[in-house]
Amino acid sequence: MSMGGDIGRVIPAETVRATWAANPSGTQAMWIRDRFAGVFGEENLDGWFPADGRRGLSPMVLVAQAGEQQQLLKLNQDQAEKIRQILVSETTSTIRTERRRDLSFLLMGLAASIPIGILMNFIS
């Protein structure tokens, strides 16, 4: 997407043409604007970073919201770790239970097969 794409409705077309004429290979600011055009073009962020010279949110509001997002991310990571530990412990206990059940079936099979074998020898 170039500066003349969706962003052209905010930046006048003449400004876009003059900027590209002056910097045919682009600048770092143009590159960043092009790469983040989809992020900053969404409705929920329109007021945060206006491109028409209006004042956006204050830096303190942005810092507070970034801190809140970081705290939520940490909470989500803590919850994910707790869920992982629960799943690991449940998986371990399930494996132990299945091994005990398999061993008990083996032992019951052995216990039942010996008398049946003796009975078969006695009958024949």
Side-chain angles (χ1 to χ4, degrees):
M1 174 183 301
S2 68
M3 286 183 70
D6 289 340
I7 301 170
R9 67 184 190 285
V10 176
I11 299 174
E14 273 304 305
T15 304
V16 172
R17 277 195 298 274
T19 304
W20 282 107
N23 302 293
S25 61
T27 65
Q28 188 175 15
M30 293 162 70
W31 182 86
I32 290 171
R33 175 119 181 145
D34 289 348
R35 297 305 183 274
F36 290 106
V39 174
F40 296 127
E42 295 183 16
E43 294 84 23
N44 60 346
L45 297 177
D46 278 346
W48 287 30
F49 304 100
D52 59 0
R54 288 180 295 121
R55 195 170 159 84
L57 294 177
S58 73
M60 289 306 296
V61 171
L62 295 175
V63 167
Q65 291 193 353
E68 182 181 335
Q69 292 295 327
Q70 192 172 19
Q71 185 179 15
L72 288 173
L73 178 62
K74 174 140 177 52
L75 286 175
N76 288 341
Q77 289 172 342
D78 291 344
Q79 290 172 344
E81 179 60 26
K82 288 178 184 175
I83 291 171
R84 188 191 68 76
Q85 288 174 352
I86 290 170
L87 290 175
V88 166
S89 67
E90 285 182 1
T91 303
T92 305
S93 66
T94 302
I95 290 171
R96 280 191 208 124
T97 303
E98 288 176 357
R99 285 182 182 165
R100 283 188 205 124
R101 187 190 67 212
D102 292 346
L103 182 62
S104 65
F105 282 137
L106 175 69
L107 293 175
M108 288 187 325
L110 286 173
S113 67
I114 293 173
I116 292 174
I118 292 172
L119 181 63
M120 293 302 288
N121 286 337
F122 183 70
I123 292 176
S124 53

